[in-house]
Amino acid sequence: MENEGQLNEDTEGEKDLASCSPNLLQMLKAAETRWTPQSRDKAEASEAGAGKLVTEALKTDMQIRLTEEKQEFNKRPTKTGRRSLSRSISQSSTDSSGISIYAWRGESEDDFWWCIDKCVCADAWQPNMILDDGGDLTHWIYKKYPSLFKRIKGIVEESVTGVYRLYQLSKAGRLCGPAMNVNDSVTKQKFDNLYCCKESILDGLKRTTDVMFGGKQVVVCGYGEVGKGCCAALKALGAIVYVTEVDPICALQACMDGFRVVKLSEMVQQVDMVITCTGNKNVVGREHLNRMKNGCIVCNMGHSNTEIDLTSLRTAELRWERVRPQVDHVIWPDGKRVILLAEGRLLNLSCSTVPSFVLSITATTQALALIELYNAPDGRYKQDVYLLPKKMDEYVASLHLPAFDAHLTELTDDQAKYLGISKHGPFKPNYYRY
Ligand SMILES: NC(=O)c1ccc[n+]([C@@H]2O[C@H](COP(=O)([O-])OP(=O)(O)OC[C@H]3O[C@@H](n4cnc5c(N)ncnc54)[C@H](O)[C@@H]3O)[C@@H](O)[C@H]2O)c1
């Protein structure tokens, strides 16, 4: 029946909104105002109310910061630089000119941990929130400075792997504060993982190897969001793409998208490139590397530098030759060369630029998560891992639509009632997969 199962209009939306902190609520309300054509006209005509100022400021500030951050990361600072992945922030660091930065291109492993440590315990301040990407910063604080968790109001984690660690801690009853899983926000996963990698995989490969893609045989390991982006980009340039998967659902998706699903061991001796995108470890092992053909390119777009078993390549019989920055030839005794990019680290973050627009979407999601955790009254969030309310995901997306001059259709009252949702969202239930 037509009306069966209809919910009271606004019920779901109001419930979601009720769980947001007042500041966030103000921003969300402001966003709603911006997105009705009449109020947008009104707002543009006037000097704008507080809501507009808040949303515009957030957007502009985010874009400016991202641009600056990218430039900062690309030049090697003499003393310090911003750590691009893991960073901690304090309330006093809202003025960007006062932020201490600890990172530079080409950090060694020791440098990396030194930078992390400095972020945690630089002179005269202590973090009160953690904004992490990969879980290294959180892990470091757990190991070295557990007492800091008394002050830390929450953790915001962006990566698949970092989030996995947080859920493990939560399951073991060892999570020391509330955490937001930003990775599984739709506006992160469906944009950063997919579109960012779709654009930057080709850029990273071109800049390092100048390889031509047409007709090249490529294996992409993992057909999650990152793998899907990489496969789509490579296919579009005429590469013959094979996929490896452990999950039958993702494997079936790959099949239906026109890719052959294979075991790496079946194809490894004939392909020109192997790209890992699994978030897993030792996906490409020495047994695979031994069988690769001369000139095969190996790189990673997934997690850290664990996906390719590098330890197995650092043995006496193999010679390493650095042919240009981020490009090593690993040479077998018979003269065979495997071309290893970025020493197995994330190719796009190491060797190409990543689209700042996509980063803006993720950074906005992170910022909202931080604001929400910081402002939440005691008791709203326990020592557990949470997802951002759907309403905030939609808000992040709505902030980025003007860049495309996109015009949203508004539900009529009747249509909203028919669908059982609020006219102002959330437009989908939490289980909707996009
Ligand atoms: N390079 C970047 O800019 C970037 C951006 C976002 C995420 N990431 C990282 O990329 C990784 C993947 O992210 P995602 O969103 O695609 O995750 P995902 O979970 O959606 O996809 C990973 C896929 O790999 C598969 N897999 C796991 N082990 C495998 C194995 N041994 N062989 C073959 N397939 C295997 C899983 O079944 C899954 O489908 C994560 O570590 C994430 O942090 C990188």
Side-chain angles (χ1 to χ4, degrees):
M1 270 178 34
E2 224 175 54
N3 289 335
E4 217 170 49
Q6 273 185 2
L7 298 173
N8 201 4
E9 189 188 296
D10 279 6
T11 317
E12 206 179 332
E14 294 299 337
K15 246 194 270 161
D16 252 9
L17 276 179
S19 67
C20 302
S21 64
N23 281 5
L24 202 49
L25 203 63
Q26 188 197 6
M27 285 199 268
L28 293 170
K29 294 263 186 223
E32 270 167 22
T33 315
R34 272 167 59 78
W35 284 101
T36 62
Q38 303 89 326
S39 55
R40 196 169 43 195
D41 293 348
K42 231 190 287 167
E44 275 165 7
S46 75
E47 270 299 295
K52 181 167 192 286
L53 281 178
V54 172
T55 52
E56 291 289 22
L58 189 73
K59 195 178 88 184
T60 322
D61 194 28
M62 200 69 69
Q63 279 166 356
I64 292 168
R65 272 162 200 251
L66 278 167
T67 316
E68 282 172 353
E69 195 168 311
K70 211 166 99 187
Q71 283 165 358
E72 192 58 48
F73 187 62
N74 284 336
K75 61 181 189 224
R76 184 181 171 129
T78 48
K79 214 168 94 197
T80 56
R82 176 186 282 267
R83 171 72 205 138
S84 72
L85 294 180
S86 290
R87 63 196 104 152
S88 55
I89 62 164
S90 83
Q91 197 185 358
S92 64
S93 69
T94 43
D95 173 2
S96 63
S97 60
I99 296 176
S100 302
I101 297 169
Y102 299 101
W104 55 89
R105 191 178 276 282
E107 282 173 17
S108 68
E109 195 71 16
D110 287 347
D111 294 337
F112 173 81
W113 290 110
W114 180 87
C115 290
I116 293 253
D117 194 62
K118 275 292 182 193
C119 278
V120 180
C121 63
D123 295 341
W125 80 291
Q126 285 191 330
N128 56 10
M129 302 284 294
I130 298 176
L131 175 55
D132 209 353
D133 185 348
D136 292 322
L137 174 62
T138 310
H139 179 75
W140 189 255
I141 297 178
Y142 260 95
K143 286 277 169 216
K144 282 200 73 182
Y145 308 102
S147 63
L148 283 184
F149 277 106
K150 285 195 204 103
R151 253 191 114 231
I152 288 174
K153 297 193 77 167
I155 303 164
V156 174
E157 171 58 52
E158 187 189 312
S159 75
V160 177
T161 317
V163 162
Y164 174 69
R165 287 181 190 160
L166 289 175
Y167 280 114
Q168 279 182 319
L169 282 173
S170 166
K171 213 168 141 193
R174 289 177 48 229
L175 194 59
C176 291
M180 282 280 185
N181 166 3
V182 166
N183 177 65
D184 290 294
S185 296
V186 181
T187 41
K188 194 275 173 179
Q189 201 173 55
K190 295 281 172 180
F191 295 86
D192 186 327
N193 301 27
L194 181 68
Y195 296 109
C196 173
C197 295
K198 189 174 172 184
E199 302 232 0
S200 53
I201 177 69
L202 302 179
D203 188 20
L205 284 165
K206 277 280 185 209
R207 285 186 197 220
T208 46
T209 63
D210 293 321
V211 67
M212 197 183 97
F213 295 99
K216 289 286 184 318
Q217 297 197 50
V218 186
V219 176
V220 174
C221 301
Y223 201 67
E225 298 301 331
V226 174
K228 286 180 176 80
C230 293
C231 286
L234 291 158
K235 186 181 181 181
L237 281 197
I240 302 159
V241 183
Y242 303 96
V243 167
T244 71
E245 250 301 341
V246 293
D247 178 340
I249 297 177
C250 297
L252 185 58
Q253 286 181 312
C255 293
M256 302 285 286
D257 287 339
F259 300 109
R260 270 203 54 206
V261 176
V262 297
K263 286 181 196 257
L264 182 56
S265 54
E266 292 166 5
M267 300 303 293
V268 73
Q269 72 284 4
Q270 72 182 62
V271 294
D272 303 289
M273 288 174 231
V274 176
I275 302 168
T276 53
C277 312
T278 68
N280 206 340
K281 63 186 269 204
N282 296 344
V283 174
V284 176
R286 176 66 188 263
E287 67 280 15
H288 302 119
L289 291 150
N290 279 342
R291 294 177 55 218
M292 283 174 189
K293 68 180 187 189
N294 185 37
C296 183
I297 297 168
V298 188
C299 66
N300 169 41
M301 286 288 285
H303 175 61
S304 187
N305 58 351
T306 58
E307 302 218 14
I308 302 160
D309 183 5
L310 286 188
T311 319
S312 74
L313 287 179
R314 299 204 189 274
T315 52
E317 80 278 17
L318 300 183
R319 200 158 56 79
W320 285 55
E321 188 181 311
R322 169 72 35 121
V323 294
R324 62 168 84 155
Q326 308 287 3
V327 183
D328 289 297
H329 284 183
V330 184
I331 308 165
W332 266 250
D334 65 357
K336 177 186 94 171
R337 288 168 183 250
V338 164
I339 303 168
L340 176 67
L341 304 183
E343 293 184 75
R345 294 193 174 81
L346 276 74
L347 176 74
N348 57 343
L349 299 192
S350 307
C351 307
S352 74
T353 61
V354 288
S356 59
F357 187 81
V358 181
L359 291 186
S360 167
I361 298 175
T362 305
T364 310
T365 313
Q366 290 173 319
L368 286 182
L370 285 169
I371 293 167
E372 174 60 12
L373 282 179
Y374 189 80
N375 286 334
D378 283 350
R380 174 177 295 164
Y381 295 109
K382 311 210 167 17
Q383 296 182 341
D384 209 342
V385 187
Y386 295 86
L387 285 173
L388 270 181
K390 168 89 52 192
K391 188 88 181 155
M392 295 187 207
D393 260 339
E394 291 176 356
Y395 173 59
V396 173
S398 74
L399 283 176
H400 289 83
L401 285 175
F404 301 96
D405 192 25
H407 301 257
L408 275 179
T409 301
E410 279 183 68
L411 286 171
T412 63
D413 290 340
D414 202 34
Q415 287 172 332
K417 204 166 169 205
Y418 180 72
L419 293 176
I421 58 176
S422 159
K423 276 179 79 172
H424 306 296
F427 295 96
K428 300 285 192 304
N430 279 336
Y431 53 80
Y432 187 81
R433 293 197 178 89
Y434 296 86

